[in-house]
Structure formats: C-alpha cells, structure tokens
Amino acid sequence: MLYQELQPVDTFKIKMAHPFSNYDRQLLTLFYQPLIGPDAMSLFMSLWADAEREKEDEYNHYYLMNLLSMPLGQVFEARISLEAIGLLRTYSKKNVQDRSFLYELLPPMDAKSFFEDPLLSTFLFSKIGEQAYRGLRSRYLVDDSLDGQFEEVSRTFLDVYKPVRSNISQIDDENRSIESRNESSGLPFAYADFDFNLLRAGLSEQMVPSSALTSVSKQLIEKLAFLYSLTPIDMQKVIMMALDENLKLPEERLRKSAVDFYKMNISQNVPSLKKAFKMEEKPVMPEPVTREDELLVYMEQTSPRDMLRDYTGNEPLPVDVQLAERLVTVHGFTVGVVNVLLHYVIIRNDGKITKNYAERIASHWANKKIETAKQAMEISRKEHDQYIKWQKEGSQKSTGRKPVREEKVPEWFNKPEEQKTAKAETDPAIDEKRRELQAKLDAMRMEGK
C-alpha cells in the first residue's frame, strides 16, 4: 500500500552539496532521460531547481503533486526510478505524527563511466537504437591518443613540492569533515542470486589463474550475468573465451565475450530491461459492476480539482481548491475521501461548499480513521442524521432563523435496494449534472477497454 511508503503530508528537504554543471544537464537529458522516463526526469529537475535556492525550505509531498501534476503514486514511482539509476539517495525519519524525508541529489556518471557500465550502456542502446547510440559515443568519447608525436613532460607533485619541518607536532582538525561534491557512486546494484562459489568451482587454477579472476570486479561479473541472463556455468565459458594469451582477463575482452556468448546461445536481439517494481497507489479494485462501483473508481482516481470541474462544468473557485488541499495536507485524507466529502457537501448545500461544515465532517472522519472512498460513503450513510443536525446548527448561527429546506443526498447515498424503492422527487438541474457525470464515467470506462 502506498500510504505505508509515502503520504502527501510527509515533508522533505533536499540536499545537494555543490551545484551541478551544464555538462551534468546534458548527460541527464541525453543519457538518463531515455532510461528513467519523463516523470522521473521532471521530478529530478524540480528537486534540482529547489535545491539551488539560497534558503533551505521544507515542503510536503502535496507540493510535488501540484508542481508536477501527478498523483502521489506517480511521484513515488518517479522517485524510486531515480534511486535505482543512482541519481538520488533517500533518507527517512519517523516523527510523532508523520514522516520526514531527506532527498540527496547525485550528479550523473560522466560519459566514459556510463559507456563502460554494461547495464547502463546496453539499456541506453536498446532505448535509442544503434545510430543514436553511436552518435552519442562519438560526441562524448573524445580520442585522447597523441599518435606518438608528443611526449609528456609534466612535473609531478613531488617534483615541485618538498616537506618543511615546523614546530607544530600535530594538526588538529577537530574531527571536522570537509564537504566535497557528492559524486555519483554509480549504479546501485546487488545481484544476490549469482553463485560465485559455483563459478570458481568450475575454473581450475591451471586454466584460469585466481589472479586473473580477481583482477575483474565482482560487480562487473554480476552485471554481465544479470544483463545477459547467464548462469555461473555460462559465465565460466565466457571467462574462458575472454582470456588472452597471457592468461589475463581484461575487462573489455570479458564484456565482448559476454556479448558473443549471448548472441550465439540466447538471442540476436539486444537485451532490454523493464521495471519489475510497481507500487499500487491503492488496492486493486475489481472491474466495476454497479454504478456505485464506477463512482468509487472515479473518486479514487480523480483529483479534487477535476472532480469539482466535472460536477459544476466550470473551473472551481480558489477557496474550494484550497479547502481540498487543506483536507489532504492537514487531515491526511486520500483524494478519494476528499472527493466523497466534497461531493456530499455540495449536494447537501445546493451546489455550494461550506468550509465550516466540511471541516466538521472532516474532523469526524479523521477520528474514525477513514482512508478510502468506500469507507467515506459508508460513514456518510451511517452518520447522516448527525450531519443534518450539524448543518442546521450552522445555518441557524449564520441566518439567525430556523432553516426550512428539502433534504437532499448524493445518488450514492442510497444503497442499491433502497434505490429501487426511492420515489422522492429530485431537482431537474441536479439530475442533469448526474447524467453528465455518468456520461463521463462511461466514456472513461470505454477508453480503458
């Protein structure tokens, strides 16, 4: 459940030790954006812009939802995409009533390191194609060979500087650490399924010296095995193919041997990666059957602003939008609960939203731990008499006289068996609004099929 990982009211701060460069921006746009997608890219650029402010501010995640025009689940998936690719580290702290996060932005890997990483380079190749990939390589990997025409004559540090003794026996640094640029540590990767013991067991010392095997990082072997779906037995063959005449194991030969083995034994197509992690923003709901089921899906998946716009046919008033935001940020409600509450209040007040009335109901729902649109509908039916009483009390205080009005409730208020026997007359204008909303629900359902 998403609320166990993140809620709109959770706050966050951004850490970036030093500003990023224009070179970093180019790498993010051309190398990383094809891998992480536009949502994660938008989140990173937004965090980057906020991190460059002189004053460090604290935000809640509803701010990100509004800034990026994304629901919370989409923001969370963008965040974990940045974490997985090595552009973000996330730290969490549990407070008394909520959580706070620290987002540490990391710069992208330089072009040389990126192309040397088998996972990232292959992933990029599969995303943008061979022509664009080769164009990036030729643009960013500069040939630094000197063709034997020049001899380096640069002095070393020890050629220029000599130590000078002084009376200071020890430099006291007071245990302070100097903050350096928070460099990217590469792709966070741990492939626990690969059995190194089995790999070593099949390689004799005479055929593959242990020094050759230890000269290659374990992470490179894990990445190649993961990317090309190689077992430890397959990797033994790859290593044998990669050994040079001196029984050495250069990394470039190992990469090439892994590619050759993959093409010969598995597939001629370039391997690609897909996300295995998918966070559900809400419980998976069954296919809508009744009108109430359809309305529940609509309430859970629509922002309060859009719900108000769909219902009235006009852009909602700023005060109503601010009230919706307050219900999310202060009371911690999901958008589904907020939509049901606002819809109930609108019907009860002939199309108007009374803030005090809505806040009183919201306080009651918060005490009852209402978390879903379905729970909100059920408590509306159960506590309807109490809500009528509260509304009349508010009307008496504001007008000074006892209100006389016909009681109105939303269509979802009546349960299916009650709807069959309901005979009360309704306002034609309200009926028309309901028909328009139902038509939109039907259109949404058809688009989804």
Side-chain angles (χ1 to χ4, degrees):
M1 292 290 290
L2 177 60
Y3 71 86
Q4 295 175 341
E5 293 277 357
L6 187 65
Q7 296 188 43
V9 295
D10 292 340
T11 59
F12 69 91
K13 289 184 178 181
I14 310 168
K15 177 184 177 183
M16 186 173 69
H18 294 280
F20 296 160
S21 66
N22 185 57
Y23 177 68
D24 292 325
R25 180 187 58 79
Q26 293 179 26
L27 294 175
L28 285 166
T29 304
L30 300 176
F31 287 68
Y32 282 81
Q33 184 172 226
L35 310 185
I36 61 179
D39 289 350
M41 185 69 177
S42 297
L43 176 59
F44 187 91
M45 300 303 288
S46 299
L47 294 176
W48 179 358
D50 281 326
E52 290 183 330
R53 294 185 181 183
E54 293 183 2
K55 180 183 177 182
E56 184 183 74
D57 293 321
E58 186 174 62
Y59 310 89
N60 59 42
H61 284 78
Y62 195 77
Y63 162 77
L64 283 180
M65 294 166 63
N66 284 332
L67 181 66
L68 302 171
S69 298
M70 296 180 189
L72 186 63
Q74 205 169 336
V75 172
F76 179 75
E77 288 198 19
R79 192 194 87 184
I80 63 174
S81 295
L82 295 177
E83 294 168 356
I85 209 72
L87 294 174
L88 182 70
R89 292 194 187 107
T90 302
Y91 306 90
S92 175
K93 180 177 68 174
K94 181 68 176 178
N95 302 322
V96 177
Q97 294 181 340
D98 57 8
R99 285 167 298 193
S100 59
F101 292 89
L102 176 64
Y103 293 146
E104 180 183 10
L105 299 183
L106 301 174
M109 298 170 64
D110 62 88
K112 184 174 183 297
S113 300
F114 189 98
F115 283 118
E116 288 178 349
D117 188 288
L119 279 180
L120 292 177
S121 57
T122 305
F123 193 13
L124 182 64
F125 185 97
S126 67
K127 286 289 187 179
I128 65 176
E130 181 177 359
Q131 184 175 357
Y133 180 85
R134 294 189 181 279
L136 282 179
R137 282 187 63 92
S138 62
R139 174 179 173 181
Y140 283 93
L141 296 187
V142 180
D143 184 8
D144 56 359
S145 63
L146 301 175
D147 300 328
Q149 300 177 12
F150 295 87
E151 178 185 357
E152 184 176 7
V153 294
S154 308
R155 285 346 187 240
T156 67
F157 181 86
L158 294 179
D159 291 334
V160 179
Y161 297 97
K162 300 296 181 184
V164 178
R165 294 184 179 276
S166 65
N167 294 328
I168 301 176
S169 60
Q170 183 179 4
I171 298 176
D172 182 13
D173 61 3
E174 299 180 355
N175 295 321
R176 294 177 182 172
S177 61
I178 299 175
E179 190 176 52
S180 61
R181 173 184 162 116
N182 48 341
E183 295 291 347
S184 172
S185 57
L187 192 69
F189 187 87
Y191 189 33
D193 292 340
F194 189 81
D195 190 344
F196 273 95
N197 292 329
L198 179 58
L199 171 68
R200 296 188 185 96
L203 297 174
S204 65
E205 180 68 23
Q206 292 75 20
M207 296 294 295
V208 182
S210 57
S211 59
L213 194 59
T214 55
S215 67
V216 179
S217 68
K218 290 178 61 177
Q219 191 176 74
L220 175 60
I221 295 176
E222 288 176 340
K223 286 182 178 180
L224 292 174
F226 172 80
L227 178 63
Y228 297 111
S229 303
L230 303 178
T231 67
I233 305 300
D234 295 333
M235 187 55 71
Q236 292 173 6
K237 300 174 184 177
V238 170
I239 291 174
M240 296 291 293
M241 292 167 57
L243 287 172
D244 63 13
E245 60 275 8
N246 298 316
L247 296 182
K248 301 293 184 182
L249 193 61
E251 289 190 358
E252 285 300 323
R253 288 179 63 95
L254 183 62
R255 290 194 184 94
K256 185 177 185 305
S257 296
V259 173
D260 293 341
F261 184 89
Y262 174 82
K263 289 182 177 179
M264 289 187 296
N265 297 277
I266 300 177
S267 174
Q268 289 292 322
N269 298 323
V270 178
S272 60
L273 302 176
K274 66 178 180 179
K275 286 185 178 179
F277 184 95
K278 181 74 172 178
M279 170 58 69
E280 293 290 343
E281 185 174 358
K282 49 192 164 297
V284 178
M285 302 184 69
E287 187 70 20
V289 177
T290 66
R291 283 194 172 188
E292 181 172 321
D293 292 337
E294 294 175 346
L295 187 59
L296 279 172
V297 173
Y298 174 82
M299 292 295 189
E300 293 282 9
Q301 297 182 355
T302 307
S303 70
R305 180 193 289 269
D306 291 339
M307 189 279 294
L308 293 173
R309 186 188 297 115
D310 289 343
Y311 185 80
T312 64
N314 301 310
E315 190 66 26
L317 297 174
V319 292
D320 295 341
V321 176
Q322 291 171 8
L323 175 60
E325 293 178 355
R326 177 176 170 80
L327 293 173
V328 172
T329 57
V330 176
H331 295 283
F333 290 142
T334 64
V335 293
V337 174
V338 173
N339 283 335
V340 172
L341 194 156
L342 295 179
H343 191 241
Y344 179 83
V345 172
I346 288 173
I347 298 295
R348 292 288 300 137
N349 285 277
D350 293 326
K352 296 177 292 184
I353 297 178
T354 306
K355 180 182 177 183
N356 292 339
Y357 184 43
E359 287 275 10
R360 193 166 186 181
I361 296 176
S363 179
H364 182 233
W365 288 8
N367 292 334
K368 294 291 186 179
K369 310 294 185 185
I370 302 302
E371 296 178 347
T372 66
K374 185 174 182 63
Q375 292 174 343
M377 288 184 179
E378 290 173 352
I379 197 172
S380 299
R381 298 181 182 120
K382 182 179 178 181
E383 303 290 345
H384 179 58
D385 292 340
Q386 180 64 52
Y387 298 161
I388 292 176
K389 181 179 178 182
W390 289 348
Q391 184 183 21
K392 290 179 179 179
E393 291 173 356
S395 299
Q396 288 173 356
K397 290 179 181 178
S398 61
T399 63
R401 62 180 182 273
K402 186 176 181 179
V404 178
R405 60 191 303 166
E406 179 184 354
E407 179 182 333
K408 295 178 181 177
V409 294
E411 186 179 35
W412 49 260
F413 181 86
N414 295 312
K415 295 182 179 180
E417 60 270 16
E418 296 170 347
Q419 292 173 355
K420 295 177 182 179
T421 59
K423 302 295 183 180
E425 296 182 359
T426 57
D427 187 337
I430 297 296
D431 285 341
E432 180 62 26
K433 292 294 183 183
R434 290 173 180 166
R435 283 192 291 270
E436 292 176 1
L437 181 57
Q438 183 60 43
K440 291 179 180 179
L441 290 173
D442 293 339
M444 290 171 59
R445 187 174 70 254
M446 294 300 295
E447 290 175 359
K449 291 186 177 181

